[in-house]
Amino acid sequence: MNKSLRKAIIAGNWKMNKTRPEAKELLDAIKPLVANAEGNVEVIACVPYTNLETAVAATAGTNVKIGAENVHFEKSGAFTGEISADMLTEIGVEYVVIGHSERRQYFGETDETVNKRTKAALAAGLKPIVCVGELLWERECNITEEVIARQIKLDLYDVSADDVKNVVIAYEPVWAIGTGKTATADQAEEVCAFIRATLAKIYDVATADAVTIQYGGSMHAGNAAELLSKSNVDGGLIGGASLKAADFNTIVQAAVNG
Ligand code: 13P
């Protein structure tokens, strides 16, 4: 597998953190640190809806791109509390996290809605970061590959080979999120390689080789370099460590040097 066939992407997922002034402060700290990644590693901050406009303004003219943390699949209508893809692109948002395990666990997100949201995002020109990952007991029952294959097939149902090149897949084992328990680099590589093989079966090898696959789950300044050294781990989706400029930058620099 040739990593140079695809873009390395380090994305922060801020989750439900930061007010607008705090968001601006964090982005102002991150910007100069990661400027050297331009053209080499894509750097993204996925922020709460209320911070999007502030974040887009704060990063204008820099190499830091902004993402949302979810998007609804309808264009408009009676969907109280939801935000459409057009609302995001109009602000200048480029990426969107879809199907995060916290959405699946706490908000009833299903593979069907993840698929609908992914297609709506792509149709509007947003780049989806589609999250997949197994629960601890699914890993213990030795069905990780079945779980991941099912998610990939359902989440990307009816997404064309051309469109899937604009999709980022984030492999986030649920047991590793916010727990401090990181998958070992070998475990991350094994599943990311399996995801790529699944993509090759659905599409073809060239298409699979072009898709960026991230690892997420307790990635931090101390373990990023090893995880990112693996041939199928093209980047990271980072929660806690993305809220500290220096830690996030260490991860970006690991990707730049990897
Ligand atoms: P942590 O890095 O805090 O474990 O979160 C990972 C995550 O869920 C990123 O989307």
Side-chain angles (χ1 to χ4, degrees):
M1 290 295 168
N2 186 349
K3 272 185 131 167
S4 66
L5 296 172
R6 48 196 173 260
K7 195 175 262 185
I9 302 180
I10 300 296
N13 172 12
W14 290 9
K15 308 191 179 183
M16 195 173 72
N17 291 291
K18 304 291 177 189
T19 61
R20 284 185 304 166
E22 289 167 351
K24 183 170 173 358
E25 191 183 341
L26 178 55
L27 289 166
D28 283 346
I30 288 171
K31 285 183 297 187
L33 299 175
V34 303
N36 69 320
E38 183 150 23
N40 188 349
V41 174
E42 184 98 315
V43 181
I44 307 166
C46 299
V47 307
Y49 287 136
T50 48
N51 291 342
L52 286 171
E53 207 170 351
T54 303
V56 168
T59 54
T62 77
N63 60 320
V64 180
K65 313 281 187 206
I66 298 304
E69 298 179 15
N70 196 8
V71 63
H72 196 257
F73 41 86
E74 295 291 350
K75 283 189 90 61
S76 63
F79 302 100
T80 303
E82 293 291 324
I83 300 288
S84 75
D86 290 344
M87 292 172 182
L88 297 177
T89 54
E90 191 270 330
I91 295 179
V93 172
E94 293 181 50
Y95 286 86
V96 60
V97 177
I98 297 177
H100 191 279
S101 65
E102 287 149 15
R103 301 285 329 159
R104 295 177 190 254
Q105 254 182 306
Y106 307 137
F107 302 102
E109 200 79 63
T110 64
D111 287 308
E112 188 186 357
T113 56
V114 171
N115 176 247
K116 284 180 167 181
R117 289 175 203 267
T118 301
K119 286 192 286 198
L122 286 165
L126 282 169
K127 293 181 188 141
I129 302 175
V130 176
C131 303
V132 297
E134 80 286 3
L135 305 172
L136 181 57
W137 86 288
E138 290 169 333
R139 177 166 280 267
E140 287 170 353
C141 291
N142 214 16
I143 59 165
T144 297
E145 292 194 347
E146 277 131 281
V147 171
I148 300 291
R150 182 187 156 87
Q151 289 175 336
I152 294 285
K153 286 176 193 167
L154 294 176
D155 297 353
L156 298 180
Y157 171 70
D158 210 16
V159 172
S160 71
D162 264 356
D163 276 348
V164 84
K165 291 175 188 160
N166 289 319
V167 173
V168 178
I169 307 284
Y171 167 54
E172 298 209 314
V174 180
W175 48 272
I177 295 176
T179 58
K181 281 187 209 155
T182 320
T184 64
D186 286 342
Q187 284 173 325
E189 169 64 14
E190 194 179 14
V191 180
C192 289
F194 175 76
I195 290 171
R196 202 174 306 287
T198 305
L199 293 172
K201 272 194 206 153
I202 301 172
Y203 302 97
D204 52 67
V205 171
T207 302
D209 274 347
V211 176
T212 296
I213 303 177
Q214 301 174 312
Y215 168 78
S218 299
M219 191 188 259
H220 55 70
N223 61 17
E226 195 190 351
L227 286 159
L228 294 168
S229 73
K230 294 294 177 181
S231 54
N232 284 287
V233 181
D234 307 315
L237 185 57
I238 295 111
S242 73
L243 298 171
K244 292 183 194 130
D247 288 3
F248 186 61
N249 177 49
T250 302
I251 299 169
V252 171
Q253 298 309 323
V256 169
N257 296 325

